[in-house]
Amino acid sequence: MESINDGVLMIDHNGYERMINLEYTRITGVTPDIIGKPLEKYRPGAQPELPQIH
């Protein structure tokens, strides 16, 4: 994931941030301490569109 030239943010099915790459931190200015926190805390009002698992 570190070799990707795009910023990548991975969230889990509960909306928690699980992984970011170096490019994401460069583009957004956020630090890796957002890992494990809910997306809502980092981006208030953000509602990830998550697939429904049956």
Side-chain angles (χ1 to χ4, degrees):
M1 194 168 86
E2 290 303 326
S3 63
I4 299 172
N5 291 327
D6 298 316
V8 178
L9 164 69
M10 292 183 177
I11 59 173
D12 66 15
H13 65 281
N14 292 314
Y16 282 79
E17 299 169 29
R18 292 297 172 204
M19 186 181 291
I20 58 175
N21 68 354
L22 185 59
E23 191 64 12
Y24 185 85
T25 63
R26 188 190 69 73
I27 292 168
T28 64
V30 300
T31 58
D33 65 340
I34 68 171
I35 303 300
K37 296 180 180 156
L39 183 63
E40 177 70 24
K41 183 172 183 170
Y42 164 64
R43 295 182 60 195
Q47 296 295 322
E49 293 184 27
L50 304 171
Q52 296 297 317
I53 299 172
H54 301 278

